[in-house]
């Protein structure tokens, strides 16, 4: 498995490869802009050029872009939906400029809507974005923990979206281990059957990335709390099975573990690598 982290773009993309190397990343995920607002400022061509040339010689790949937090394709509010589609289109364009092959999105939050309608909105939003931006960047749907009104925590929901995407070549899945565990999939004790279920319902060929996060909360808690590898409910033995599983070990694995500073990243990287057999 190739391991990496979500890397900060603060101070510019020119700082990313250095940060990634300091953490011995073999793959990375990043935001293309500040994830806490709606504003897009243009990418600085010089900055991107520096990033891409450093990336090229680094051996770090693939690169994943994570969608900002506010867009929500599942919404019933017209304006929010429109803005969310615009954001997704913009992320697809920026991913291409950055040299990333994938945009990771959370399925969404259905506030006030039934699941059926919310899923219809997500499908419509994805299709609009893929139609609007014809490039080779792929959208990866991330399974959620099912916290509050989040949808997309069961494999069946993800399948129902994928089935209706008009450009099936451009849709894939990222499996977040913390979210799956919190949603009730017992990756710790029943990994084989979870992988088998994923394969039966979604298809393993759709799986392009693992988010490797331990969970601070219990199996089926529906509460999303990422924790340090080996120190949460999935635990060391759980992650040992995950990183060595014959149907998963070829995948890239990005950690989104808590951090105050670099020390915690180094600790998690050391831990995950020590589990590889
Ligand atoms: Fe995510
Ligand atoms: Fe995640
Ligand atoms: Zn999470």
């Amino acid at each position: 498995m190739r391991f990496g982290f979500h890397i900060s773009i603060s101070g510019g993309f020119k700082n990313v490869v250095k940060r990634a190397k300091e953490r011995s990343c073999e793959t990375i995920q990043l935001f293309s802009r500040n994830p806490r607002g709606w504003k897009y400022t243009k990418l600085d061509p010089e900055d991107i050029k520096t990033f891409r040339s450093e990336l090229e010689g680094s051996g770090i790949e693939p690169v994943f872009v994570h969608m900002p937090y506010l867009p929500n394709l599942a919404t019933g509010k017209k304006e929010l939906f429109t803005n969310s589609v615009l954001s997704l289109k913009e992320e697809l364009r920026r991913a291409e400029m950055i040299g990333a092959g994938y945009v990771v999105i959370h399925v969404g939050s259905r506030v006030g809507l039934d699941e059926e309608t919310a899923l219809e909105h997500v499908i419509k939003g994805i299709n609009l974005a893929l139609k609007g931006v014809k490039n080779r960047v792929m959208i990866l749907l991330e399974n959620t923990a099912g916290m509050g009104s989040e949808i997309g925590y069961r494999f069946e929901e993800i399948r129902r979206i994928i089935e209706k995407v008009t450009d099936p070549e451009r849709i894939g899945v990222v499996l977040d281990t913390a979210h799956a565990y919190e949603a009730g999939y017992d990756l710790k004790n029943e990994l084989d059957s979870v992988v088998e279920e994923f394969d039966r319902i979604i298809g393993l060929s759709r799986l392009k990335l693992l988010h490797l996060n331990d969970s601070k909360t219990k199996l089926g808690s529906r509460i999303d709390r990422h924790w340090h590898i080996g120190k949460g409910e999935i635990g060391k033995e759980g992650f040992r099975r995950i990183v060595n599983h014959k149907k998963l070990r070829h995948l890239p694995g990005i950690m989104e573990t808590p951090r105050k500073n670099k020390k915690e990243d180094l600790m998690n990287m050391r831990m995950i690598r020590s589990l590889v057999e």
Side-chain angles (χ1 to χ4, degrees), residues 40-258:
Y40 280 95
T41 41
K42 264 196 161 169
L43 295 171
D44 170 4
E46 271 310 302
D47 190 29
I48 297 303
K49 212 172 125 192
T50 310
F51 168 68
R52 292 191 68 153
S53 78
E54 283 184 24
L55 187 70
E56 221 178 270
S58 72
I60 298 169
E61 61 107 24
V63 176
F64 300 91
V65 166
H66 196 295
M67 185 85 169
Y69 297 128
L70 298 181
N72 176 19
L73 297 172
T75 183
K77 295 183 189 138
K78 261 213 167 104
E79 201 188 340
L80 178 57
F81 179 79
T82 308
N83 287 333
S84 300
V85 174
L86 287 175
S87 290
L88 181 53
K89 285 200 229 172
E90 192 56 29
E91 294 297 330
L92 289 168
R93 285 189 205 102
R94 287 160 86 98
E96 185 180 23
M97 288 188 260
I98 292 165
Y102 308 87
V103 172
V104 171
I105 70 170
H106 293 191
V107 177
S109 197
R110 67 178 175 86
V111 199
L113 294 180
D114 61 87
E115 196 187 289
E116 198 59 39
T117 314
L119 283 173
E120 291 299 323
H121 291 181
V122 176
I123 294 160
K124 186 175 162 201
I126 289 174
N127 285 336
L128 283 169
L130 289 176
K131 207 174 136 198
V133 182
K134 297 259 182 221
N135 63 19
R136 298 174 62 181
V137 177
M138 197 172 185
I139 294 174
L140 301 184
L141 295 169
E142 177 170 350
N143 66 304
T144 63
M147 189 158 78
S149 52
E150 270 178 351
I151 58 169
Y153 62 96
R154 282 166 305 179
F155 297 162
E156 286 82 357
E157 297 166 278
I158 292 172
R159 173 175 66 189
R160 286 177 48 212
I161 298 166
I162 292 177
E163 276 174 349
K164 293 202 178 149
V165 169
T166 46
D167 197 348
E169 300 289 288
R170 291 177 68 197
I171 190 91
V173 178
V174 39
L175 185 72
D176 187 307
T177 55
H179 297 173
Y181 191 77
E182 290 154 354
Y185 294 101
D186 192 355
L187 300 155
K188 180 183 183 173
N189 301 302
E190 303 288 343
L191 182 61
D192 277 335
S193 72
V194 174
V195 170
E196 197 262 316
E197 193 176 342
F198 186 100
D199 194 27
R200 184 164 35 84
I201 296 171
I202 300 174
L204 279 169
S205 62
R206 294 276 178 203
L207 184 58
K208 305 297 176 191
L209 169 64
L210 294 177
H211 277 169
L212 298 172
N213 303 307
D214 210 330
S215 170
K216 204 171 183 182
T217 65
K218 296 238 181 304
L219 179 68
S221 68
R222 309 272 298 269
I223 297 170
D224 182 3
R225 293 280 180 280
H226 297 197
W227 201 235
H228 301 295
I229 304 294
K231 298 194 170 168
E233 294 291 325
I234 300 174
K236 235 169 134 169
E237 290 318 305
F239 276 97
R240 193 191 302 282
R241 289 181 209 121
I242 292 167
V243 299
N244 293 299
H245 195 281
K246 64 178 188 306
K247 293 191 169 159
L248 304 178
R249 66 186 173 206
H250 64 286
L251 292 165
I254 299 277
M255 292 175 275
E256 305 168 309
T257 38

Side-chain angles (χ1 to χ4, degrees), residues 5-21:
F5 285 101
H6 185 104
I7 300 289
S8 160
I9 56 164
S10 102
F13 288 88
K14 62 180 188 294
N15 299 321
V16 167
V17 174
K18 179 172 158 275
R19 285 186 189 126
K21 282 182 175 168

